[in-house]
Amino acid sequence: MDNVVRRLLTASCAFALATAVSQPALAQSTRKQLKTANKFFDLENYRAAIPYYEQVLAKEPNNAVALFRAGIAYMSFDKEKASDYIYKAQRLKKNVSKDVEYWLGRVDHLNYNFDEAITHYQAYNATLKKKDTRKAELAQLIQHSKNAKVQFNSPKDIFVKNLGPTINTPFSEHSPVISSDDKLLLFTSRGENVTGANASSADAKNGKGNLASDGEYYEDIFEAKRIDDENWEKPRSLSGVLNGKGHDASIQVFDNDTKMLMYRQDEGGDIFYSEKAGGDWTEPKKLNNNINSKQFESDAYITPDGRTIYFSTGKYSEDGTLDIYFATRQPGGDWGEAKTIGNAINTKYDDDSPFLSRDGKTLYFSSRGHNTMGGYDIFKSEWDSIGRKWSRAENMGYPINTPDDDSYYRLSPDGSYAYMSSYRIGGYGEKDIYTINYIKNAIIRGKVISAKDSVTVIPGVELVFSGTQADKTALSYRDVTKPDSGNYQVSVLSGRTYQVAVSKDGKSIETQEFAVPIVTADSTVIEKNFYVPYVDTTQTVATMFKKIYFDTDKYKLRPESITELNNITRILKANPGLNLSIEGHCDSRNTDEYNIVLGQNRADAAYNFLKKNGIAETRLVTTSYGERRPDAPNDSPENMQLNRRVEFRPILKEGEAMPKLNPGTGSGAGTGTGASSTGAGTTGTGTRTGATGTGTTRTSLQPGKSKVKMADGTKVKTKVDEDSDKVKVKTKGANDQESKTVYKEGEIDAKTKDETGKTKLQVEGAAPASVATPAAPAATDSTQAAPATTTPATTTPTDSTTTVKP
């Protein structure tokens, strides 16, 4: 129940009650209307005062006093209008009230203008005498504004949603209680449908009906059945035995929803309980004197095991402010002596509305103390099982808390969201009931499609979703469209607009904006295709540059990789205007930082080979994507092998189309090994048959021996056994370069010797079907490499078919 309202429970004011539900007589003069409004205002019956002030302002829109007082009255109903009225009053009459700076501070604070609020409070403080007791209150209000500024500038990713007009009214709704199956909501309302709301003026004058001293209706308990996640049936009043003559408020249902804790206005306010009999509730009974007193008992919570009750009471404080206490059931079944929950929770201000998580490890409560943003804020504390005490209270932060009152935090049965009641901008009137949901991630998936034909799917496109968290911390999510399907998929924090940068091969295509709606459920999928102005001109050339693959955690070149690098060398020499991007990739079996380095080492291995074989370094660019651009999911050894690779992409200038390439002829490479591929490049230096017939001439294997002497003096000896299952090839160059290769039963055993030393290579699973006979070397644009035999090897990437032994 609203504590401010409870403390205003005094003897009925007959005049106020008689006129609160009637409209001002049009015949009254402006002076009489203002006088009537002021009487209600002085009783803090703001709802009744507002119509009178408005009639005065209709006739005298610049009446500073009416504006000022109407502004104060509006603070519980319309904070923006309150600000407009008070500021206008001060502009019209600077000293409209000696307290105007105080009220400007209050209204600025409620409207999130915290710096301005502090300025007004300080100005008001300067008008007070040194020993004025109001200085302490001003110091607290200034601290509230400072606290609020901190919380507001570091918001949480939380979605606070009004429960809607079926539940909430222009009056106050609070104290939400949800059944264990999440299908029935009990709550407290001061709306027009409460018991006795339609009492006549005569009855109201005699204290009958349901109007409290502040001119508002007394509180009643209502229940509403859930229709679906968003909607509720029309609430019904639990009148009769549950609702008494004064305020009645819901607190908790327990024991499988068969019992209810409730507040009833009795001896200053006490805690009662009722049991369900059939479809209705029995006459409420008061809890014992260890819980209730002649002071104000406001709210309570019984643990699921029924053994402990936490409750808020004014019994033990000197000034009647609320503190949280607890008591346990005695062997006889009633509540024992109350004990304080401790100074980590209780302050010298009101501490109220305790609620525990189902596991009993987290306490939620409302407080006007601690580092509140203003009024009541919701706090939480964790139970220290070792120290056997509650931790220091933590403010739940904005947007759960606001500069006004926020209280009655109640978790849903499964703990996935919560209910609360709050005075906040955008509500239906006074205090409303809200739900609190933590904003979840949404899965965004789709394709990147060429806008030119709206059909062509573009693989290899990088999408980077950039946004911010509620506290302005940067967010970034990325994926690359898959080579087989063109699909992408990212999991992003919902409820914000992202800038999506679309690029391919390191070049930006465009940036689009994409608003992701708020998602509060798990596994929400949103389909989104991006249409971009891009035509993939490299696809026709991509087949000319095959990917090369690597062993796990290695960056040494395999023999089949050297064969492909020779092909790339030949193409680059035949197309001197073509530049190449060399891109290293990894599987996901190490950290991202480690894989970036490993991917760079793999790219460098290919770069060094090409550079050593005559390709100018100015034509080559290396980069590493680590594990960030997988070709396949990292869910099997075979797929991870596909991701351990280097790719080669032509580099084009902005707007430049891919030129028609000369495939090249003849030998393109020599014996270079690459900086990081020790020994791997001395075999695999074999040249490919060119279109003009230069380079080597491949012949099928025939039993016998042969000798060939090259033009540069290199001697090649070949021996094939009778069954053609064993082949020996020996070479000796003019500079004493030697090599020996043996093919036998699917294995290659190669040894080389040159100025760099000796290297031994073994390859499993490679059986020769033919052997190359060297011909006259072809002219190239670089130093002539020593010819050798072509090393047959498998071209299918495997996990570990190659072993290099230095």
Side-chain angles (χ1 to χ4, degrees):
M1 174 181 178
D2 192 319
N3 293 325
V4 173
V5 173
R6 289 168 181 161
R7 289 186 180 129
L8 290 172
L9 297 175
T10 58
S12 299
C13 174
F15 176 78
L17 295 177
T19 57
V21 293
S22 64
Q23 291 297 315
L26 295 176
Q28 284 184 311
S29 67
T30 300
R31 183 179 60 82
K32 288 183 178 180
Q33 288 171 340
L34 185 58
K35 184 178 179 180
T36 302
N38 288 340
K39 285 184 177 180
F40 284 120
F41 183 92
D42 291 340
L43 290 170
E44 299 187 40
N45 188 347
Y46 299 128
R47 187 182 293 276
I50 286 173
Y52 290 95
Y53 284 128
E54 287 294 357
Q55 288 206 19
V56 172
L57 293 172
K59 298 174 184 178
E60 299 179 9
N62 291 331
N63 188 315
V65 173
L67 282 166
F68 175 69
R69 289 202 157 201
I72 295 172
Y74 268 119
M75 287 174 64
S76 292
F77 311 104
D78 189 331
K79 295 172 173 52
E80 293 98 330
K81 183 175 283 189
S83 178
D84 292 342
Y85 277 28
I86 298 175
Y87 266 97
K88 184 178 179 181
Q90 191 201 39
R91 288 195 300 270
L92 291 168
K93 188 176 181 181
K94 184 173 179 62
N95 296 318
V96 63
S97 166
K98 63 180 181 180
D99 299 327
V100 66
E101 289 291 341
Y102 168 85
W103 289 106
L104 285 171
R106 288 287 304 274
V107 78
D108 270 336
H109 179 84
L110 293 176
N111 282 281
Y112 296 84
N113 301 316
F114 306 120
D115 289 334
E116 292 86 343
I118 292 171
T119 299
H120 288 302
Y121 288 144
Q122 290 171 337
Y124 183 63
N125 188 57
T127 68
L128 301 177
K129 294 181 179 180
K130 188 174 183 180
K131 294 184 178 180
D132 196 313
T133 57
R134 287 173 290 180
K135 283 183 171 289
E137 179 191 355
L138 282 172
Q140 183 190 19
L141 292 173
I142 290 171
Q143 188 60 51
H144 288 173
S145 291
K146 291 179 178 179
N147 295 341
K149 185 177 179 180
V150 170
Q151 297 292 345
F152 181 72
N153 289 329
S154 54
K156 314 293 185 183
D157 272 301
I158 291 171
F159 180 45
V160 179
K161 183 179 180 180
N162 193 294
L163 221 54
T166 302
I167 302 298
N168 293 314
T169 71
F171 300 86
S172 180
E173 280 76 37
H174 59 86
S175 300
V177 175
I178 194 72
S179 62
S180 58
D181 61 3
D182 207 8
K183 293 181 179 180
L184 186 68
L185 175 70
L186 284 78
F187 64 98
T188 303
S189 175
R190 301 189 77 177
E192 295 175 310
N193 294 321
V194 300
T195 305
N198 298 318
S200 66
S201 297
D203 286 339
K205 184 176 181 179
N206 295 321
K208 298 179 181 179
N210 212 18
L211 284 172
S213 61
D214 61 357
E216 300 266 354
Y217 298 116
Y218 282 116
E219 297 169 325
D220 274 0
I221 301 173
F222 288 75
E223 71 173 14
K225 294 180 179 179
R226 184 188 294 280
I227 298 173
D228 53 37
D229 289 345
E230 301 292 332
N231 299 290
W232 299 87
E233 291 182 357
K234 182 179 179 180
R236 76 178 183 97
S237 174
L238 299 181
S239 58
V241 294
L242 274 191
N243 291 324
K245 294 180 180 180
H247 292 296
D248 301 285
S250 49
I251 292 180
Q252 180 190 7
V253 288
F254 60 102
D255 276 359
N256 296 319
D257 301 344
T258 62
K259 297 178 182 177
M260 178 196 300
L261 279 183
M262 59 175 288
Y263 166 89
R264 174 167 281 186
Q265 184 186 337
D266 185 80
E267 291 188 298
D270 285 331
I271 308 298
F272 286 68
Y273 77 96
S274 175
E275 299 187 56
K276 204 161 194 178
D280 219 331
W281 297 93
T282 63
E283 176 70 26
K285 299 178 182 178
K286 187 185 294 190
L287 300 187
N288 71 13
N289 291 336
N290 285 327
I291 308 300
N292 290 312
S293 69
K294 293 182 180 181
Q295 300 300 318
F296 180 35
E297 279 73 46
S298 169
D299 208 348
Y301 175 80
I302 295 179
T303 56
D305 61 11
R307 296 176 59 186
T308 307
I309 184 170
Y310 295 83
F311 63 102
S312 49
T313 178
K315 177 180 178 180
Y316 302 98
S317 63
E318 294 181 359
D319 56 358
T321 55
L322 292 170
D323 286 326
I324 297 176
Y325 277 69
F326 71 97
T328 57
R329 282 195 187 278
Q330 300 303 297
D334 214 342
W335 299 110
E337 182 182 356
K339 298 179 181 179
T340 180
I341 199 170
N343 292 333
I345 306 299
N346 291 325
T347 67
K348 65 179 180 178
Y349 305 100
D350 287 318
D351 304 291
D352 194 7
S353 192
F355 180 86
L356 267 71
S357 60
R358 183 168 290 274
D359 61 9
K361 295 180 179 179
T362 306
L363 172 72
Y364 301 92
F365 65 101
S366 302
S367 177
R368 296 181 187 271
H370 300 290
N371 60 330
T372 172
M373 293 177 66
Y376 275 112
D377 271 7
I378 298 170
F379 293 82
K380 69 176 181 178
S381 175
E382 305 293 335
W383 176 249
D384 179 358
S385 59
I386 298 176
R388 301 197 60 76
K389 61 182 180 178
W390 291 101
S391 69
R392 181 179 178 183
E394 176 187 346
N395 193 302
M396 294 283 282
Y398 177 81
I400 291 179
N401 292 318
T402 69
D404 211 329
D405 282 337
D406 308 284
S407 54
Y408 304 109
Y409 184 93
R410 301 291 185 263
L411 286 170
S412 66
D414 65 359
S416 64
Y417 68 100
Y419 293 86
M420 66 175 290
S421 50
S422 174
Y423 287 103
R424 64 180 62 205
I425 293 173
Y428 287 91
E430 293 184 66
K431 184 176 288 187
D432 281 352
I433 297 176
Y434 293 80
T435 55
I436 302 167
N437 288 271
Y438 285 86
I439 295 175
K440 302 289 184 66
N441 277 23
I443 297 172
I444 314 298
R445 68 186 184 192
K447 301 176 184 293
V448 178
I449 300 172
S450 172
K452 183 175 182 180
D453 58 13
S454 298
V455 173
T456 303
V457 175
I458 310 170
V461 175
E462 182 179 42
L463 299 102
V464 179
F465 289 69
S466 298
T468 58
Q469 294 182 168
D471 62 1
K472 307 303 180 184
T473 302
L475 293 172
S476 183
Y477 308 91
R478 64 173 301 283
D479 196 19
V480 178
T481 55
K482 302 302 182 285
D484 51 349
S485 63
N487 291 333
Y488 79 91
Q489 178 172 304
V490 292
S491 178
V492 306
L493 188 62
S494 67
R496 64 215 65 235
T497 297
Y498 287 92
Q499 301 296 316
V500 185
V502 185
S503 62
K504 184 170 172 63
D505 304 330
K507 294 183 179 180
S508 174
I509 300 175
E510 69 173 9
T511 299
Q512 297 186 16
E513 219 174 53
F514 179 47
V516 180
I518 290 175
V519 168
T520 57
D522 294 321
S523 305
T524 301
V525 177
I526 299 173
E527 301 286 345
K528 172 63 178 177
N529 291 333
F530 288 92
Y531 293 84
V532 298
Y534 179 82
V535 177
D536 192 352
T537 58
T538 65
Q539 288 303 303
T540 57
V541 182
T543 55
M544 301 184 69
F545 301 126
K546 295 180 181 179
K547 304 168 189 177
I548 61 175
Y549 297 88
F550 295 84
D551 292 340
T552 301
D553 203 28
K554 302 294 183 183
Y555 53 93
K556 294 181 180 180
L557 297 174
R558 294 177 177 176
E560 66 270 20
S561 300
I562 294 173
T563 301
E564 180 56 31
L565 287 167
N566 285 332
N567 174 53
I568 294 171
T569 301
R570 188 187 72 247
I571 295 173
L572 290 175
K573 289 178 178 179
N575 298 273
L578 178 64
N579 298 328
L580 206 61
S581 173
I582 306 172
E583 302 168 359
H585 302 266
C586 307
D587 62 35
S588 61
R589 284 185 289 186
N590 213 314
T591 65
D592 182 58
E593 294 79 7
Y594 182 90
N595 285 332
I596 286 291
V597 175
L598 179 58
Q600 185 62 51
N601 287 337
R602 288 171 175 171
D604 288 345
Y607 169 89
N608 291 330
F609 183 96
L610 296 173
K611 179 181 175 182
K612 186 169 184 178
N613 284 282
I615 305 303
E617 60 186 75
T618 55
R619 299 176 62 187
L620 306 173
V621 174
T622 64
T623 190
S624 172
Y625 292 103
E627 64 187 70
R628 300 176 183 179
R629 290 189 174 184
D631 252 5
N634 287 285
D635 55 8
S636 68
E638 293 76 18
N639 281 346
M640 284 189 281
Q641 172 63 92
L642 293 175
N643 292 330
R644 297 193 300 272
R645 69 195 191 281
V646 162
E647 295 185 10
F648 305 91
R649 299 183 187 274
I651 300 174
L652 301 178
K653 297 178 181 178
E654 188 70 30
E656 180 183 7
M658 175 59 64
K660 185 176 181 180
L661 297 183
N662 180 353
T665 59
S667 173
T671 60
T673 64
S676 61
S677 53
T678 306
T682 52
T683 59
T685 57
T687 55
R688 297 183 174 215
T689 302
T692 60
T694 59
T696 62
T697 302
R698 187 168 295 280
T699 60
S700 60
L701 296 174
Q702 299 294 330
K705 298 180 180 179
S706 64
K707 296 181 181 180
V708 177
K709 185 175 182 179
M710 305 293 292
D712 65 346
T714 300
K715 298 178 181 179
V716 181
K717 295 182 180 180
T718 304
K719 180 181 179 181
V720 181
D721 68 2
E722 293 296 328
D723 298 321
S724 299
D725 61 351
K726 182 178 180 181
V727 181
K728 291 182 180 179
V729 181
K730 293 182 179 180
T731 66
K732 185 175 183 180
N735 296 322
D736 293 325
Q737 295 171 323
E738 297 179 3
S739 70
K740 178 181 178 182
T741 305
V742 179
Y743 310 88
K744 183 178 181 181
E745 296 178 354
E747 294 185 1
I748 300 174
D749 188 353
K751 298 178 181 179
T752 64
K753 178 183 177 183
D754 57 18
E755 65 273 14
T756 64
K758 295 182 179 180
T759 301
K760 184 176 182 181
L761 173 71
Q762 291 182 335
V763 181
E764 298 178 357
S770 60
V771 66
T773 303
T780 65
D781 64 354
S782 62
T783 304
Q784 176 65 48
T789 59
T790 300
T791 303
T794 178
T795 59
T796 303
T798 59
D799 190 51
S800 57
T801 58
T802 305
T803 305
V804 179
K805 299 178 181 178

